[in-house]
Amino acid sequence: MTKPPVIALLGGTFDPIHNGHLLSAQELKAVLAADEFRFIPCHRPPHRATPGVSSQQRLAMVELAIAGKPGLSVDGRELQRDQLSYTIDTLIELRREYGEHAVLCWVMGVDAFCHLDTWHRWQELLDYAHIIVMARPEATLPTQGPVAELLAAHQVETVAVLLQQPAGQLLLQTLTPYPISATAIRQAFREGKRPSQALPEPVLNYIEQHQLYRSE
Ligand code: ATP
C-alpha cells in the first residue's frame, strides 16, 4: 500500500499571520515529515470577538505570507460558510475529501488546547484527526478536568506512533518558542510602530497599504 499523505492543519484568526505561526508551522512540518501544512483562517471565531479586519483581508495576508514556501497552503473554506466557524465541521469535510487513510493532524497552541472542552462537539474531533499541541518548554497543561482526561486517554509520546493511525491520538510537540503574538502586533501598529521583525515583509506591506490596525 502506498504511504498515506500526512496533512497538518492550523486553524486560527491570523489577525494578522506572523512569523511565530510561520516558523512553528515549518518546524512542525519537518518534524512530521508532512506532505502539506495547511492554514485555515477562521471566518467567525466562536470564542472571541469577530476581528476588526475582514476575513478576506486576513485570508489575503495568509496567502501573501506563504507564497513561494513549498508545502505550505491556505484553505479558505470557513469563509464560505456564513456561520460560526466550527472546527468539527471543517474536519468532517476534510476527512471526506482525503479519505479514511490520510493522516490528518489538527494543530493548536497550548493556550487554545487548555480550553478545548469549550469547543463545539469537542469529543468528536479525534474521530476525524489527531491533535498536535505545539508546546513550549515551560507550558502548563491542565492536570485535572476534561482536557486532562482526554490527554490521559489519547496521548502518544512520539511522532512515529502518531503516524501509524489516521486519527484519534494526541501529541504534545515541543517546538522552538517564538515570543510573537498577534495581539502585541496589533498594539504596536496602534502605537504607530512598525513591528517588522515579527511579520513577513509582504504582510507588513499589505497592512501598511490598507492601513490596518490603525485604530481599535
Ligand atoms: P491573538 O494574539 O490575536 O490571540 P494568536 O496568534 O494567539 O493571536 P491565532 O491567530 O488564532 O491567535 O493563532 C492560531 C494558532 O497559532 C493558535 O493555536 C495559537 O496558539 C498559535 N500561535 C499563536 N502565536 C504563536 C507563536 N508565537 N508560536 C506558535 N504558535 C502560535
Side-chain angles (χ1 to χ4, degrees):
M1 202 176 89
T2 52
K3 185 178 153 298
V6 177
I7 314 294
L9 309 159
L10 178 62
T13 42
F14 304 121
D15 186 25
I17 189 166
H18 55 64
N19 289 336
H21 298 129
L22 287 165
L23 294 168
S24 302
Q26 284 168 313
E27 188 175 336
L28 187 54
K29 181 175 179 294
V31 167
L32 295 172
D35 296 277
E36 185 186 340
F37 194 108
R38 197 183 276 217
F39 292 86
I40 309 184
C42 184
H43 178 37
R44 293 177 54 201
H47 291 110
R48 51 194 287 172
T50 298
V53 167
S54 76
S55 307
Q56 295 300 344
Q57 287 176 317
R58 291 184 288 108
L59 173 67
M61 290 190 278
V62 178
E63 285 169 346
L64 287 169
I66 65 166
K69 296 194 166 64
L72 302 190
S73 64
V74 61
D75 182 331
R77 73 180 60 224
E78 292 191 354
L79 276 61
Q80 312 303 324
R81 300 199 296 257
D82 192 26
Q83 320 150 355
L84 289 179
S85 303
Y86 291 126
T87 297
I88 187 70
D89 297 331
T90 300
L91 288 182
I92 290 170
E93 282 181 18
L94 287 166
R95 176 55 70 191
R96 204 177 292 138
E97 289 165 24
Y98 276 101
E100 58 182 327
H101 299 298
V103 180
L104 300 184
C105 303
W106 184 261
V107 179
M108 58 175 73
V110 177
D111 45 346
F113 179 68
C114 288
H115 303 110
L116 190 71
D117 58 324
T118 63
W119 289 27
H120 184 56
R121 294 169 60 189
W122 67 279
Q123 283 107 331
E124 294 170 59
L125 298 170
L126 286 174
D127 295 342
Y128 299 94
H130 296 304
I131 293 177
I132 299 184
V133 182
M134 298 185 287
R136 299 177 183 201
E138 76 288 0
T140 321
L141 287 155
T143 52
Q144 52 187 354
V147 175
E149 286 163 23
L150 190 80
L151 252 181
H154 297 280
Q155 187 176 3
V156 294
E157 295 298 333
T158 65
V159 168
V161 173
L162 188 90
L163 296 182
Q164 285 168 16
Q165 303 293 331
Q169 303 183 127
L170 245 160
L171 177 73
L172 304 183
Q173 180 63 48
T174 303
L175 299 176
T176 309
Y178 299 103
I180 302 173
S181 87
T183 302
I185 290 170
R186 294 192 300 273
Q187 179 66 27
F189 280 113
R190 273 199 296 276
E191 291 168 2
K193 297 180 189 147
R194 194 168 188 271
S196 55
Q197 300 299 311
L199 294 164
E201 201 176 321
V203 174
L204 185 66
N205 293 340
Y206 183 95
I207 291 170
E208 290 181 338
Q209 274 163 16
H210 293 83
Q211 302 189 354
L212 307 182
Y213 308 119
R214 289 288 168 219
S215 55
E216 288 296 327

